[in-house]
């Protein structure tokens, strides 16, 4: 309680200073434009990566508003549109107090970077934001990796009517290390092991591409750093970030129950298939794992071909999550020995794709793949053993 009170008091102190600065003359401009970067939350999956918005204060009109590219209309078909990747987001305008209240309640970090621009440059950005917020222009089809609240703001600076090619972002990629989209989302999901597992199953090889400097700024924290070190014709364009609200979110990763679960699952499967006295356990585990992997394969196909989520395309997890495993789990069709050999080879291919950096594989899935290899090996052995003929 005391920590929350101190955080709120600190926020109002900073705000008082901000308003004092905004009312002072600034290169002949009545505008003060800043980038807001909001830290990760842990209530909803979409909060994990933070948020970005643009704040505009007008000392003449006495307004303090935020252009928020993370707004959407919640309707009866919201869930369906979201799952299919067809949900329209939009840029909305709200007062700064309305915007920041959510982060006060959630105890999430909020930082502000004032843009060090002259009057004409500020007018260019403000004019575009106002145009973009008009009903005919405000909607866009959201894509987590390639078209979100951060990329929308990132792309404003290089627009011909704003700065064009004169605006150069600082390079925010880690020195000496090439990161993929999968690397970076796994970093943000370090606390939520189950979600990280599910996301990695559904996302395909497109997110295993090495990110450019522009790509990595699809996340608010990296956009903040890119703007912080950006220049226009060699002149720095942003002040250092000022923290308006601190974060009180837990940073502990906790126990990786997802890895423990998949490891126990694999161990029970292998023991049940290896020890004759436990053949019932082996049968139960094999049937369950084949059925679940088959269902996952169907879900992968749906996300790949029936949605607009670009990150779900070219998903080579389909090589181990074979939809046909649903049939193999409960029936005994001809050719099971051949099927088991092909399925085993496909699992090996999955490991090879990881080694070749074509599609990443997280540690939580490794026990599952090993268990599947044991299952296919058992199917092959039982399918090729000829029954004894009584004399």
């Amino acid at each position: 309680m005391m920590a929350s009170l101190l955080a709120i008091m600190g926020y109002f102190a900073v705000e008082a200073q901000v308003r004092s600065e905004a009312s002072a003359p600034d290169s002949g401009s009545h505008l003060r434009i800043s980038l807001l970067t909001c830290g990760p939350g842990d209530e909803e999956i979409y909060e994990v990566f933070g948020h970005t918005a643009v704040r505009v204060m007008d000392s003449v009109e006495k307004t303090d508003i935020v252009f928020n590219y993370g707004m959407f209309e919640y309707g009866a078909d919201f869930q369906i549109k979201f799952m299919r990747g067809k949900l329209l987001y939009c840029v909305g305008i709200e007062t700064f107090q309305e915007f920041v209240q959510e982060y006060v309640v959630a105890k999430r970090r909020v930082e502000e970077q004032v843009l060090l621009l002259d009057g004409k440059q500020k007018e260019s950005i403000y004019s575009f934001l106002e145009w973009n917020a008009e009903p005919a222009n405000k909607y866009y089809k959201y894509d987590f990796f390639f078209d979100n609240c951060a990329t929308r703001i990132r792309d404003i600076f290089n627009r011909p009517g704003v700065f064009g090619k004169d605006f150069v972002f600082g390079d925010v990629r880690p020195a000496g290390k090439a990161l993929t989209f999968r690397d970076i989302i796994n970093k943000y999901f370090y606390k939520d092991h189950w979600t990280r597992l599910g996301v990695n199953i559904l996302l395909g090889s497109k997110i295993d591409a090495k990110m450019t400097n522009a790509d990595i700024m699809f996340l608010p924290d990296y956009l903040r750093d890119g703007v912080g070190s950006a220049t226009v014709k060699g002149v720095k364009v942003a002040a250092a970030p000022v923290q308006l609200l601190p974060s009180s979110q837990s940073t502990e990763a906790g126990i990786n129950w997802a890895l423990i679960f998949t490891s126990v699952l694999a161990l029970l499967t292998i023991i049940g298939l290896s020890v004759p006295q436990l053949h019932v356990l082996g049968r139960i585990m094999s049937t369950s794992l084949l059925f679940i992997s088959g269902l996952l394969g169907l879900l992968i196909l749906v996300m790949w071909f029936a949605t607009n989520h670009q990150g779900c395309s070219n998903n080579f997890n389909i090589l181990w999550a074979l939809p046909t495993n649903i049939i193999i789990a409960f029936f005994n069709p001809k050719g099971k020995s051949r099927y088991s050999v092909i399925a085993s080879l496909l699992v090996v291919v999955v490991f090879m794709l990881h080694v070749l950096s074509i599609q990443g594989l997280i540690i939580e899935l490794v026990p599952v793949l090993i268990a599947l290899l044991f299952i296919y090996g058992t199917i092959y052995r039982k399918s090729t053993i000829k029954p004894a003929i009584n004399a």
Side-chain angles (χ1 to χ4, degrees), residues 267-276 278-283 285:
L267 187 61
L268 291 175
T269 303
I270 293 169
I271 292 174
L273 294 175
S274 303
V275 180
L278 298 176
H279 68 278
V280 175
L281 173 64
R283 180 60 183 271
M285 297 304 298

Side-chain angles (χ1 to χ4, degrees), residues 286-308:
S286 297
T287 301
S288 301
L289 195 53
L290 287 171
F291 179 67
I292 292 171
S293 64
L295 288 179
L296 287 174
L298 291 177
L299 181 57
I300 288 170
L301 290 177
V302 169
M303 297 301 293
W304 183 347
F305 293 106
T307 75
N308 287 357

Side-chain angles (χ1 to χ4, degrees), residues 45-356:
I45 186 173
Y46 58 80
E47 295 179 352
V48 172
F49 304 95
H51 188 44
T52 295
V54 179
R55 181 184 186 183
V56 179
M57 299 179 71
D58 188 329
S59 59
V60 172
E61 298 294 332
K62 306 299 181 184
T63 57
D64 185 0
I65 59 176
V66 172
F67 290 85
N68 185 354
Y69 282 83
M71 305 186 80
F72 53 84
E73 296 176 356
Y74 194 94
D77 56 351
F78 168 80
Q79 297 289 352
I80 295 175
K81 286 185 176 180
F82 183 81
M83 285 297 296
R84 296 186 63 195
K86 297 180 181 295
L87 182 65
L88 290 179
Y89 273 56
C90 68
V91 53
I93 301 175
E94 54 189 325
T95 68
F96 175 73
Q97 291 298 330
E98 291 171 337
F99 175 84
V100 82
Q101 182 59 32
E102 174 185 346
Y103 299 93
V104 172
V105 173
K107 301 177 182 178
R108 289 171 60 185
R109 165 176 55 86
V110 177
E111 296 174 307
E112 182 178 36
Q113 286 169 287
V114 177
L115 300 184
L116 307 175
L117 308 174
D118 61 34
K120 184 178 179 181
Q121 292 169 331
K122 291 178 184 179
E123 290 288 351
S124 296
I125 292 179
Y126 191 32
S127 295
F128 174 80
L129 290 171
E130 288 186 309
W131 172 86
N132 205 184
E134 292 175 1
N137 308 319
K138 68 178 185 177
Y139 292 100
Y140 69 99
K141 190 175 292 184
Y142 175 86
D143 184 279
F144 173 71
F145 294 105
F146 307 109
D147 200 350
N148 63 21
C149 65
T151 64
R152 284 272 154 171
I153 294 173
R154 176 199 67 192
D155 295 343
I156 291 174
F157 298 105
N158 291 122
R159 291 183 65 87
V162 184
F163 297 113
K165 296 181 179 179
D166 292 334
F167 191 96
V168 179
F169 285 102
D171 195 335
V172 296
R173 292 169 296 180
K177 183 179 181 181
L179 289 178
T180 68
F181 291 98
R182 193 183 301 274
D183 292 331
I184 210 74
I185 63 169
N186 285 338
K187 175 183 175 183
Y188 274 78
F189 275 130
Y190 77 98
K191 290 192 297 183
D192 196 343
H193 307 290
W194 285 107
T195 302
R196 186 178 68 252
L197 174 60
V199 165
N200 273 271
I201 290 174
L202 294 179
L203 292 176
S205 60
K206 188 167 185 176
I207 69 161
D208 290 283
K210 298 294 187 293
M211 288 187 292
T212 65
N213 190 54
D215 287 337
I216 201 171
M217 286 186 282
F218 84 98
L219 290 174
D221 286 343
Y222 288 93
L223 177 62
R224 173 202 60 203
D225 296 342
V227 171
S229 53
T231 59
V232 174
K233 296 182 178 179
V235 179
K236 188 176 175 64
V237 299
V242 174
Q243 189 174 87
L244 302 182
L245 287 173
S247 172
S248 60
Q249 302 279 335
S250 171
T251 58
E252 295 293 327
I255 299 173
N256 190 343
W257 289 110
L259 178 58
I260 293 173
F261 176 79
T262 57
S263 298
V264 171
L265 186 73
L267 187 61
L268 291 175
T269 303
I270 293 169
I271 292 174
L273 294 175
S274 303
V275 180
Q277 293 84 351
L278 298 176
H279 68 278
V280 175
L281 173 64
R283 180 60 183 271
I284 293 173
M285 297 304 298
S286 297
T287 301
S288 301
L289 195 53
L290 287 171
F291 179 67
I292 292 171
S293 64
L295 288 179
L296 287 174
L298 291 177
L299 181 57
I300 288 170
L301 290 177
V302 169
M303 297 301 293
W304 183 347
F305 293 106
T307 75
N308 287 357
H309 293 293
Q310 296 184 58
C312 294
S313 62
N314 303 329
N315 190 347
F316 294 114
N317 282 322
I318 195 69
L319 298 179
W320 64 264
L322 298 170
T324 47
N325 278 352
I326 295 176
I327 299 173
I328 300 299
F330 298 105
F331 301 99
N332 191 27
K334 293 181 179 180
K336 285 187 74 172
S337 60
R338 183 182 303 170
Y339 180 91
S340 63
V341 171
I342 295 173
S344 297
L345 290 174
L346 291 177
V347 172
V348 174
V349 170
V350 171
F351 282 111
M352 292 176 62
L353 292 175
H354 173 68
V355 173
L356 296 173

